[in-house]
Each structure stands twice: as structure tokens, then as C-alpha cells.
Amino acid sequence: MLSASTAPLVLLDGALKIVGLSASFAERFQIEPVGATGRSFSTLGHGEWRAPQLRALLELTLSGATEIDAYEMDLRREGQDPRSLVLNARRVEYPTGAKPLLLLTIADVTDARLSEKLKDDLVREKTILLQEIQHRVANSLQIIASVILQNARRVQSEETRGHLHDAHQRVMSIAVLQQQLAASRLGDVEVRAYFNGLCKSIGASMIRDHNQIALSVSADDSAVSADVSVSLGLIVTELVINALKHAFPGQRSGKIVVGYEGEGLGSDWRLSVSDNGVGMHRQAGAAKAGLGTSIIDALAKQLSAEVDVEDVNPGTRVSIIHRRAARFSPSAARADAPV
């Protein structure tokens, strides 16, 4: 019955000598079954089974002190590639009082391990390739942004120049995101780092005197998926540009704070852009729905979020609020929003 087993099996006595073995074991490991009975297990083949640690585990299992569960070893035979094996051993007792035996099963997992390694290598190569693509996309976007900025300096129309500056910042918001994605191994984007880089880029190109206007980020340790971060970055870009244009007329000084609070991927979150400028009642031009407002509304709808605009006296706060369920009121959301 043992010899007919399709699984490689070996039955050993108290001295770790072979009582019987399956034909599949003999065939798999090139053991001549004739004359194998009575031989010490460690002398099979050309001594490749002579492993001190394995022998010690077999002796402990035979004594009842332990059991071998998924013991891994490499079987090395001269002129052949190493084979990865997983061994299990159980003590076999008989009610008749006969001495216990040891049943050893061997599984050859070489092909499975090779397949796992190839899969891991492929995933690693794809990750490296993706990061390289992200680096190149970020570099290309920065080049495009630079070309737009150069064109903005050449045009005569102030209105056209303003539109080109806005386009420059929209492209840069995606370029900064690509840099964050390239640095992330998990494919998620850390909000604080992303917004810090984005605001640094906006401030460098749009704020002439940083002593006059301060732009800062107040965000928790949340991370968001790449597709959500694209929309968040564009919203921040639009709101910061709008605040820089309208909140501080006449060389007025002030500050803009980009805030973010979240509870993890797919959970409630709140994005806000606050300023301590002149407030909504003084921003006559900003009250009209323009391209920026349309972009914000469209992006918020895409994120299944609400847009909330407040006059915080002094200044204005625009919040983009995402709720999984209506479990708190808009007034509570406003009260908790970062300043």
C-alpha cells in the first residue's frame, strides 16, 4: 500500500532506517528501491540526504518531542540543479505495543518557487518601469509648463498672460503629483508632502514678495489614491490662484492656508483653502462664475463632494467636503474646518 502511493513517502524505524518507501519517492529522487529497505535514510543516493539538522528533527519527532511541519531544505545532487523540498514527518504508533515508526512525506516545490520568483521579478520590473515613466512624465510636464511660462512673458495682452499663468500652474500641479507618485512604492500619495510641493511651486511663480503673502499647508498624515490626488491638486491650484488674485488687492499683506483632514482612503475628508483677505463682499470680480469656479465644481462632483464657501471675517474659506454618509450636518462640518 505504501509503495503504491502517488506521494513521495518514506517509512522509517527507530534507528531512522528505511522500512518502506513509495514508488513515487524512488522515481522522483532516483533511488533504487531494491535493497533500500534496511538502509539508513541518510545514506540514500550519494549522501544528499545526510543533513544533520534534518536528522535531529527526525529523532525528536520519533521521540514524540515535536513534529516536522513544512521543513524546507535544498536537495543538492552532483550534476543536477538543486531542488527545493518541503518535508513533513509524523510519529506512527500501533496499539499492539510495537515500536513507533516515522512517516516522512516529501513535496518537491522547485517549480512553484521558481514561478513565484519569476512573478516577483516581473512585479519588481513593472514597478521600476512605472517609476521611470512617472519620472519622465513629470519632467515632460515641467518642460511644458516652462514653455507656457515663457509664452506668457512674451504676450502683450494682460488677460492672455493671466490665462497662461493659470495654465502653467495647472500643468505644474500634475507635474508635482507625478513626482510624488514616483517616490511612492504603494501607489498612494501622501497629502501633506504633495500639497507642500504644490504650494511651493505656486508660491515660486506667483508670489513676488513672500514677506507680504504667506502660503502654507496644514494637513494630517492622510494618503489618497492617485486618481483622487489629481483632482485634489487641481482644486488646490484653482483656489490658491483665486485667493492670490482677489483676496489681497492693493499690495495688501496676508496669508493663505491649505488644509486637509481625512480618515483614510475612501473615508470622510475635508479639503479647505482659507485666506485672511478682504472677504467675499469685497471681491466683486471673484463673485462671477469663471473657468476656475467651473473646474472646482466639476472636480468636486467627480469626487462626490460638496463645495462650501464661507466668509470667515476676515477672509474667505472654501471647503470641499466628502462624506460617506450624512452623519453630521454642514454646520458641524464648517465648525470643524481648519483655519
Side-chain angles (χ1 to χ4, degrees):
M1 186 174 182
L2 178 68
S3 62
S5 172
T6 57
L9 303 175
V10 180
L11 190 62
L12 304 174
D13 63 14
L16 299 183
K17 292 184 178 180
I18 297 174
V19 176
L21 51 81
S22 65
S24 58
F25 175 85
E27 180 181 356
R28 177 70 59 84
F29 300 108
Q30 301 174 351
I31 302 298
E32 181 59 49
V34 178
T37 303
R39 289 181 58 184
S40 174
F41 178 70
S42 61
T43 65
L44 289 179
H46 298 283
E48 58 266 22
W49 296 95
R50 189 181 292 113
Q53 185 177 9
L54 174 60
R55 182 177 180 85
L57 288 172
L58 292 175
E59 291 174 346
L60 287 171
T61 302
L62 191 59
S63 69
T66 187
E67 289 185 347
I68 297 179
D69 285 312
Y71 172 74
E72 298 189 26
M73 65 172 286
D74 290 332
L75 186 69
R76 301 180 183 278
R77 291 172 289 183
E78 186 176 354
Q80 299 185 37
D81 294 332
R83 307 297 295 179
S84 298
L85 307 181
V86 175
L87 287 71
N88 293 274
R90 295 291 183 273
R91 173 185 164 110
V92 181
E93 297 187 24
Y94 296 94
T96 58
K99 292 183 178 180
L101 301 177
L102 193 67
L103 181 63
L104 179 65
T105 64
I106 300 97
D108 188 336
V109 297
T110 306
D111 294 339
R113 292 294 162 80
L114 179 59
S115 177
E116 290 176 3
K117 183 179 183 301
L118 290 174
K119 181 180 178 181
D120 291 342
D121 290 344
L122 180 60
V123 170
R124 192 177 301 109
E125 289 176 4
K126 289 179 68 175
T127 300
I128 293 173
L129 179 59
L130 178 59
Q131 289 178 332
E132 177 63 23
I133 291 173
Q134 287 167 340
H135 276 299
R136 294 191 179 190
V137 169
N139 291 338
S140 298
L141 288 170
Q142 288 177 333
I143 292 172
I144 294 171
S146 297
V147 172
I148 293 174
L149 195 58
Q150 289 176 3
N151 289 333
R153 292 168 181 160
R154 294 172 184 170
V155 298
Q156 301 299 319
S157 169
E158 287 294 333
E159 182 180 1
T160 302
R161 184 180 297 110
H163 290 320
L164 288 173
H165 275 290
D166 293 351
H168 166 264
Q169 284 307 141
R170 289 165 185 148
V171 174
M172 282 302 298
S173 71
I174 307 300
V176 174
L177 170 61
Q178 288 296 327
Q179 292 173 338
Q180 293 294 321
L181 286 173
S184 172
R185 294 183 179 181
L186 300 178
D188 296 328
V189 178
E190 294 181 3
V191 174
R192 185 192 298 120
Y194 174 36
F195 285 175
N196 276 327
L198 180 56
C199 288
K200 182 178 180 181
S201 171
I202 295 174
S205 63
M206 297 196 67
I207 300 177
R208 295 182 179 179
D209 186 354
H210 290 270
N211 293 322
Q212 177 190 353
I213 298 177
L215 176 58
S216 63
V217 173
S218 175
D220 57 21
D221 296 328
S222 297
V224 298
S225 61
D227 56 340
V228 170
S229 65
V230 173
S231 298
L232 294 180
L234 289 172
I235 290 172
V236 168
T237 300
E238 297 300 328
L239 291 176
V240 171
I241 288 175
N242 187 70
L244 289 172
K245 285 182 177 180
H246 302 290
F248 310 106
Q251 304 300 311
R252 181 187 178 106
S253 62
K255 64 179 180 179
I256 301 170
V257 179
V258 177
Y260 185 89
E261 295 175 349
E263 299 179 4
L265 293 171
S267 301
D268 297 340
W269 52 262
R270 181 186 291 106
L271 166 67
S272 65
V273 176
S274 309
D275 66 72
N276 62 347
V278 297
M280 292 184 295
H281 63 287
R282 296 276 300 278
Q283 299 179 26
K288 298 179 181 178
L291 176 60
T293 303
S294 301
I295 291 175
I296 293 168
D297 289 340
L299 292 171
K301 184 177 181 181
Q302 187 180 69
L303 294 169
S304 300
E306 302 172 3
V307 180
D308 183 49
V309 183
E310 304 170 83
D311 193 341
V312 292
N313 190 28
T316 304
R317 176 168 57 230
V318 181
S319 300
I320 312 299
I321 306 168
H322 176 271
R323 303 181 179 90
R324 286 174 297 175
R327 54 188 180 86
F328 55 86
S329 65
S331 58
R334 289 195 295 270
D336 293 338
V339 177

